[in-house]
Structure formats: structure tokens, C-alpha cells
Amino acid sequence: MPRLPQPITVAGPAPEPPALRRKRRRESGTAWAYVSPAVLIVLGLSIVPVVWSLLLSFQASDLVTPSRWVGLDNYRALAQDPNFSQAVRNTLLYTVLYVPLSMFFGLLLALVLNRRIRLLGLYRTLIFVPFVLSATAQGVLFSFILDPEFGAANSVLHRLGVSSQGFLSDPSQALPVLVAITLWSGTGFCVVVYLAALQDVPQSLIEAARLDGAGRRHLLRHVTLPTLTPVTVFLVVWQTIQSLQVFDLVYVTTKGGPLGSTTVIVYFIWEQAFKNATAGYGASAAYVLAVALGLAAGAVRIVRRRGRHRLEGARS
């Protein structure tokens, strides 16, 4: 009977010297000593408040007296609250108006400022400066300008023979006026982003299209705009998130009025949590907004991924 082969024994790794182990422990301790403040800040200012507010959304709490667990009652009340429905409609209308208009004017101004013209640096600065101003400063400034009785806007309209307007005090005009104020400040960000993207458009593509007889309109449609697609997707997501979270301008100018015509979701959340002392109800509205933001970002990402797959399929 043949003998079975002897198993081959492979020697394991050599034990680590104690000095090397102590050195690694010291390095790990030093690393954690440097990282721990940032970790504590992240935990204390982001993760812990998120978890706490999520639990708060299932409770009836005024942040002073002991809270009471109510389960999904806050969310059911939101579904039946006409004020919340109005806030959602106002926010959606604000977003639908602001996002495409800011991107359109941003692209238009970027195309103009991408040329060689005199005082180009001054024009770029003047367009971007409103974006740097805080929403509070913008609200105070335009509250004076658009005052129905003593504002400069109605004074100019009076000289032009146009009747005085209510602006921020008129329920039919307040929300569009807020959109216009935000366009004055927010378009500058789109201009800067589009301008940087325009300067990265390959000149070889432009020259090749011109050799083929393409005019300015065809260059814009078939060369420039397709190249700007990733930037456009980024701006859609960014501007949508910004518009869904608008609060400062509303708080300074209209405080949700007149007649709730400018009450947006974030202002509704603040009003419920801190003005009406129903923090649990406000937290539930905040999580409805968080889910909406997540769905918006996810939808844009899915569309972008499908567009990339379609483009790869066309190339193959």
C-alpha cells in the first residue's frame, strides 16, 4: 500500500517584536489624539442632533416640559394640515420659478462675460458681489426699496405713470418678488460656475465645428451645451436644495405673510418648533423636507446615470 504524502507545513508569520508593537500603539494614540476633536464635533453637531430630532418627530414636545410619545400622529397631522399644504405649494412654486430662471440668466451672462470686452473684471465682480451679501442684508435693503408708501420702487413707478404696487405686502406679488430678489443674488453663483466651465470647453471642438461651417447658434447647441451637461446637473441639484431650504429672506422681509403667501417649508418648521412651541410637530415637518431633498438628489443622480449609460451605448 503506497504511503500517503506528508503534509507540507508552512511557517506562519514571525511574531511582531514588542518594540514595534509599542511604536504602532503610540502612533495610533497620537493619530486619535489629533482626530478626536473633529470626531467629537461631527458627532455633537451633526449625528447626535439628527438622531435626536428623528426621535423628537415621534413625540409631542415643547422642549420645556417632559415629552410624550405619539408615534406617527405628527405625520398624520401634517397630511391634514392646510397650512403645511400651503407651505409645500409655496416652496414648490418658488423652486419652479427660481431654479430654471437662475440657471438661464447665469448661462446667458456667462456667455457674455466669456468674451473679450472692456472692463470685464469689473462686470464679473459686480455680478458676483450680490451673491456674497447675506440674505439678511438683502432682506433689509429690499424692504426699504419695496416699501409700499416710502420705497424707491413705487417712487420710480409713479414718475413713469404706473400706479403704486404692494410688492411684499400684496399676497399675489409677494412670492414672485422674493424670487426676483433671490435671482438678483443667486444668479452670480451660476455665472461663476458656468464661466469656469465655458473656459474649459476644448478649443479643438470649437475650431473643428467652425471649419465645418457651424455658426454661433450651432456651436452653442451642438458643442457648448453638451459640454456643460455635468455642470448643469450640478447646478440643478445645488439650486434646488438651496431653494427648498430658503428661510432667511422670508424671515426678514415677510415673516410668511401676507396671508401665508410666502410661508415656505423651512419657515413653517421654525414657526411650529419655536413660535408655537410644538417642537415634535416641527421635527416631523423637517424630516418630510429631508426625504424630499433626498428624493430630488436621487432622481437627478438616476437621470444622470441613465444619460451616461445611453451615451456609452451610443459610442459602442
Side-chain angles (χ1 to χ4, degrees):
M1 182 175 180
R3 296 178 59 185
L4 295 176
Q6 295 294 330
I8 300 176
T9 303
V10 180
E16 193 175 39
L20 183 59
R21 284 199 302 269
R22 288 194 296 270
K23 181 180 179 181
R24 289 187 175 181
R25 289 174 182 173
R26 286 197 302 269
E27 291 177 351
S28 299
T30 303
W32 276 109
Y34 283 110
V35 173
S36 57
V39 173
L40 292 176
I41 291 174
V42 171
L43 290 175
L45 298 181
S46 59
I47 298 178
V48 172
V50 167
V51 176
W52 178 74
S53 60
L54 177 61
L55 296 176
L56 186 64
S57 68
F58 298 103
Q59 303 175 32
S61 173
D62 58 1
L63 300 179
V64 178
T65 59
S67 59
R68 178 172 53 87
W69 187 268
V70 295
L72 296 175
D73 288 352
N74 287 329
Y75 294 93
R76 296 191 187 99
L78 279 177
Q80 301 173 1
D81 190 346
N83 295 325
F84 180 71
S85 301
Q86 184 182 21
V88 171
R89 289 194 300 268
N90 292 337
T91 306
L92 292 178
L93 180 59
Y94 181 92
T95 303
V96 169
L97 291 175
Y98 171 68
V99 174
L101 287 176
S102 64
M103 295 178 62
F104 172 77
F105 288 120
L107 178 59
L108 185 63
L109 292 173
L111 291 171
V112 174
L113 296 178
N114 196 39
R115 301 178 181 180
R116 295 181 180 178
I117 57 179
R118 293 183 60 185
L119 302 177
L120 181 60
L122 176 62
Y123 298 146
R124 291 178 177 177
T125 303
L126 291 177
I127 290 175
F128 187 70
V129 162
F131 176 74
V132 181
L133 296 177
S134 66
T136 303
Q138 298 170 31
V140 172
L141 173 64
F142 280 97
S143 294
F144 284 107
I145 294 176
L146 302 176
D147 187 271
E149 298 181 3
F150 309 105
N154 272 331
S155 178
V156 173
L157 292 178
H158 179 71
R159 296 195 177 194
L160 296 176
V162 180
S163 60
S164 299
Q165 303 296 315
F167 296 118
L168 295 174
S169 60
D170 188 341
S172 62
Q173 298 179 5
L175 190 62
V177 169
L178 288 180
V179 173
I181 296 173
T182 316
L183 285 175
W184 175 76
S185 60
T187 303
F189 178 77
C190 296
V191 172
V192 171
V193 174
Y194 270 131
L195 191 58
L198 286 172
Q199 294 175 356
D200 288 339
V201 175
Q203 292 297 320
S204 58
L205 294 178
I206 297 177
E207 294 174 359
R210 286 175 176 171
L211 290 175
D212 291 338
R216 289 183 177 180
R217 182 170 60 86
H218 293 90
L219 281 174
L220 177 63
R221 179 180 178 183
H222 299 288
V223 178
T224 304
L225 291 181
T227 308
L228 298 179
T229 300
V231 173
T232 302
V233 173
F234 162 74
L235 284 176
V236 168
V237 177
W238 179 266
Q239 295 293 82
T240 300
I241 292 175
Q242 295 299 311
S243 60
L244 292 177
Q245 293 180 335
V246 62
F247 170 76
D248 298 358
L249 188 62
V250 175
Y251 180 81
V252 174
T253 55
T254 63
K255 288 184 168 50
L259 302 178
S261 59
T262 59
T263 300
V264 291
I265 293 182
V266 178
Y267 186 84
F268 176 86
I269 294 170
W270 173 86
E271 192 174 40
Q272 297 300 322
F274 300 104
K275 188 176 180 180
N276 298 339
T278 53
Y281 193 58
S284 61
Y287 269 91
V288 171
L289 175 61
V291 171
L293 291 173
L295 292 177
V300 173
R301 188 170 183 177
I302 292 173
V303 171
R304 185 179 180 183
R305 184 179 301 174
R306 289 183 178 178
R308 188 185 301 116
H309 291 337
R310 191 181 300 110
L311 181 60
E312 293 175 355
R315 289 178 178 177
S316 62

